[in-house]
Amino acid sequence: MKILVVEDEKLLVKGIKFNLEQEGYSVVAAFDGEEAIRLAHDETIDLILLDLMLPKVDGFTVCRTIRGFSNVPIIMLTAKSEDIDKILGLEYGADDYITKPFNIREVTARIKAILRRVNPVQKGEKDKLIISGDITLDYNFRRVVIKDNVIELTSKEFDLLELFMRNPGKVYTRENLLDIAWGFDYPGDVRTVDVHIRRLREKIENNPAEPMYIRTKWGVGYYYKND
């Protein structure tokens, strides 16, 4: 597994690189936004750790640009603690965020959790494809097709859609979804879920304002309607 670390503080990169290599990962580094975009485009990257405050091109722009050609999982690293920065990171396509200063064990735990979901243990034959209406979810290739069109989803969006499609009609609270898709130790709040649900609806629904598939149970949470 190859991880791209995008951070302009070289001493911090050195520490992250050492610890990740101890876990068996291959690590490449970029010290500015332009280099990050180039490496993400030219190399096979399995996950990106992306700082927000970067020279040349900021982290938000880097994330949005990479999302134009890749669904590689992105974890944002930021010294900013304001909620708006976290929400913006998710809006631009990040899968997760970690606020500095952080414990390297937390970083490695988040990486492992995301990569487990992106590269799951093979399931039985009957679980490989889930078909619901115009939506076909291919579990093996983590691909979603709607009316012969491949829909580009981030890893978290795919995880949420798979959970919904495997359990049609079941209502999940925001806290349920946060625990299942992000993990019980995830320090984020329920607005993280709302952002991902909105983005997922924008990609799979004909009219996101009146969704056919991912419905809202007012005062409770979300559920999948299998029409």
Side-chain angles (χ1 to χ4, degrees), residues 166-193:
R166 289 191 187 279
N167 302 277
K170 182 175 179 178
V171 179
Y172 291 94
T173 66
R174 291 167 175 82
E175 290 79 6
N176 290 155
L177 294 172
L178 202 63
D179 288 343
I180 295 169
W182 279 265
F184 288 100
D185 296 328
Y186 184 69
D189 59 43
V190 295
R191 284 172 295 182
T192 299
V193 174

Side-chain angles (χ1 to χ4, degrees), residues 32 40 49 65 67 76 91 94 96 122 128 132 146 184 223:
D32 63 63
L49 291 177
T65 303
R67 277 290 167 260
M76 279 194 163
E91 290 279 9
D96 202 349
Q122 204 72 271
K128 290 181 178 179
S132 174
I146 300 179
F184 288 100
Y223 68 100

